């Protein structure tokens, strides 16, 4: 497997490293867009690994390089009059945090991907302790030879690596609009990747409306057919519109109100408020139509309504309404539940959809307790994780913007912010804990977030969201091409060139028209 290394040292040490690379018969690689030099190292000591090593002598050049290139390990070498490692790594840590804040969650570069080469000093034990506190992955003190250094790198690259070369996909929620956003992203990925299909993902994890897309992907339902169904033009799937998803549960609402109203007779007026609150339904919609539609969709493509018959691993997250435990359907002992029931439970967002009763327990929306179940995907051996997370608040620097839109808008934005910041914290933690796992994240850009800023449970299917998600995904892949292409290529995916992506974006400006 090819590993990308960024070697940072003083100019004097860079000169010595060039001599060592020449002795190793390393191959210089063309790098026309970079000021730095890159070499390919293939040596028996590396145990069948191949290294792409880029040499940099300026600390300020690190984050520009990380912005444009994949880096698996950053090596800082303080030898030959370089800046002392603790000072250099403090600056690197500050700079990479700023990079992540500017460029997004999949540009988090953890310190657990940093190793250091030190001069021999009297206070080595103290320095090792301080570097360990900031989570530096490993340290090599005064290596005796190039062979010694290569053996150390081989150990670093092998130790703790997730061995299964598997791919996972995590799909978050966001109501009907989140579902539309995810379809746009998935359609873009299916169009711009060759060599391996996006449907060959090994493990799918879906939560809330993401459970619908995860089920459709695992059930091999083409995104093109879903787009046609939204227009009522599919010959395989029934027409898909908002009214299908929102089936009012009038009978249950009436029963609940009548039951509580009867109980009010003779009650102390001071208890009326309590009874009034109890008369409100736990869900306005039944969700039966939603469950049946997507059950029929996967059956139309030859799959049973069962986790055990789906080719890929599929996990659907829901929340136990009473214990607030996060449950992953598809994982024992919840792997015997029909997929459609699990999907319905995962989408039961109060107070829109009624809770779903399964196995004597009541379940509500999985996003109450998890945004994306990243831990599950990594536990299943996924080395590359593709994340689609539509539930992002619309941020603005204009004071009073949210307040002007009223209480409902404020509440929705607050919930989105809570879920979004939870996801950011989880991803940062997972990136630091599992430095050998790559994450690619797709979230709405400002234009798309603006369109999705109101209620995620709008009644009408808005095809503009699908189009925006599609074009933004192609643009994101184009602008960050070198990094994404390197991550995807390891697993057999070939990403179109930036020129091809731009041409595809122009050609499919309205993907619904391109289906005709």
């Amino acid at each position: 497997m090819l590993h990308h290394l960024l070697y940072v040292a003083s100019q004097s040490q860079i000169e010595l490293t060039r001599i060592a690379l020449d002795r190793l018969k390393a191959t210089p690689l063309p790098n026309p867009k970079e000021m730095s030099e890159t070499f390919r190292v293939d040596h028996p000591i590396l145990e069948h690994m191949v290294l792409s090593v880029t040499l940099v002598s300026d600390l300020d050049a690190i984050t520009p390089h990380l912005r444009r290139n994949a880096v698996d390990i950053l090596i800082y070498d303080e030898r030959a009059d370089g800046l002392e490692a603790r000072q250099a790594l403090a600056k690197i840590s500050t700079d990479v945090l700023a990079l992540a804040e500017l460029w997004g969650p999949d540009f988090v570069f953890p310190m657990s991907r940093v190793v250091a080469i030190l001069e021999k000093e009297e206070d080595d034990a103290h320095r090792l302790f301080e570097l360990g506190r900031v989570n530096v992955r490993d340290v090599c003190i005064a290596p005796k030879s190039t062979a010694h250094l290569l053996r150390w790198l081989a150990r670093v690259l092998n130790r703790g690596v997730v061995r299964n070369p598997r791919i996972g996909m995590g799909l978050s929620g966001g109501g009907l609009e989140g579902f539309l956003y995810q379809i746009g992203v998935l359609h873009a990925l299916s169009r711009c990747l060759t060599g391996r299909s996006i449907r060959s993902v090994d493990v799918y994890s879906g939560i809330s409306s993401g459970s619908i897309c995860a089920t459709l992907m695992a059930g091999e339902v083409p995104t093109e057919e879903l787009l046609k169904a939204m227009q009522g033009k599919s010959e395989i799937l029934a027409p898909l519109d908002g009214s299908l998803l929102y089936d009012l549960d009038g009978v249950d609402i009436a029963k609940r109100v009548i039951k509580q109203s009867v109980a009010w007779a003779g009650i102390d007026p001071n208890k009326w408020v309590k009874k009034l609150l109890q008369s409100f339904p736990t869900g306005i919609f039944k969700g039966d139509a939603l469950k049946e539609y997507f059950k029929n969709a996967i059956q139309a493509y030859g799959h049973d309504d069962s986790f055990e018959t789906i080719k890929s691993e599929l996990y659907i997250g829901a929340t136990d309404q009473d214990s607030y435990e996060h449950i992953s359907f598809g994982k024992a002992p919840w792997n015997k539940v029909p997929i459609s029931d699990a999907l319905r439970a995962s989408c039961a967002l109060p107070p829109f959809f009624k809770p779903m009763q399964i196995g004597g327990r009541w379940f509500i929306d999985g996003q109450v307790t998890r945004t994306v179940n990243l831990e599950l995907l990594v536990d299943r051996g996924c080395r590359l994780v593709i994340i689609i997370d539509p539930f992002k608040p619309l941020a603005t620097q204009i004071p009073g913007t949210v307040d002007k839109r009223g209480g409902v808008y404020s509440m929705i934005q607050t919930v989105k912010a809570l879920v979004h910041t939870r996801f950011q914290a989880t991803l940062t933690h997972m990136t630091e804990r599992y430095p050998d796992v790559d994450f690619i994240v797709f979230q709405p850009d400002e234009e798309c977030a603006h369109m999705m800023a109101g209620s995620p449970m709008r009644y009408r299917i808005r095809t503009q969201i699908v189009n925006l998600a599609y074009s933004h995904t192609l643009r994101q892949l184009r602008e960050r091409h070198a990094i994404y292409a390197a991550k995807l290529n390891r697993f057999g995916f070939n990403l179109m060139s930036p020129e091809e992506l731009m041409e595809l974006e122009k050609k499919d400006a309205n993907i619904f028209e391109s289906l005709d």
Side-chain angles (χ1 to χ4, degrees), residues 9-23:
S10 68
Q11 190 60 49
S12 300
Q13 184 60 41
I14 291 288
E15 294 294 337
L16 295 172
T17 302
R18 284 198 195 98
I19 296 171
L21 289 169
D22 185 57
R23 287 200 303 267

Side-chain angles (χ1 to χ4, degrees), residues 394 401-403 405-414 450 453-455:
L394 176 63
T401 300
V402 174
D403 188 68
R405 301 285 293 270
V408 174
Y409 180 88
S410 175
M411 179 188 70
I412 291 169
Q413 288 295 296
T414 300
H450 188 272
S455 170

Side-chain angles (χ1 to χ4, degrees), residues 147-165:
H148 178 192
L149 192 58
L150 286 181
R151 290 190 184 94
W152 171 67
L153 280 174
R155 287 196 302 271
V156 168
L157 290 168
N158 274 302
R159 187 189 312 146
V161 173
V162 177
R163 286 295 172 194
N164 296 322

Side-chain angles (χ1 to χ4, degrees), residues 392 394-395 444-451 472:
K392 181 181 177 182
L394 176 63
D445 65 350
E446 185 176 352
E447 184 180 8
C448 201
H450 188 272
M451 180 170 284
H472 173 246

Side-chain angles (χ1 to χ4, degrees), residues 41 68 133 154 194 201 219 231 234 254 285 306 311 393 411 496:
V41 182
R68 295 188 297 268
R133 287 182 62 187
T194 60
V201 166
Q231 295 182 307
S234 173
F285 305 105
S306 167
K311 183 169 60 177
M411 179 188 70
M496 284 182 173

Side-chain angles (χ1 to χ4, degrees), residues 188-198 386 477 488 493-496 501:
L189 292 174
S190 68
R191 294 273 284 155
C192 69
L193 295 176
T194 60
R196 179 175 179 176
S197 169
I198 192 64
I386 299 169
L477 290 168
L488 291 163
F493 294 109
N494 297 318
L495 179 61
M496 284 182 173
L501 289 169

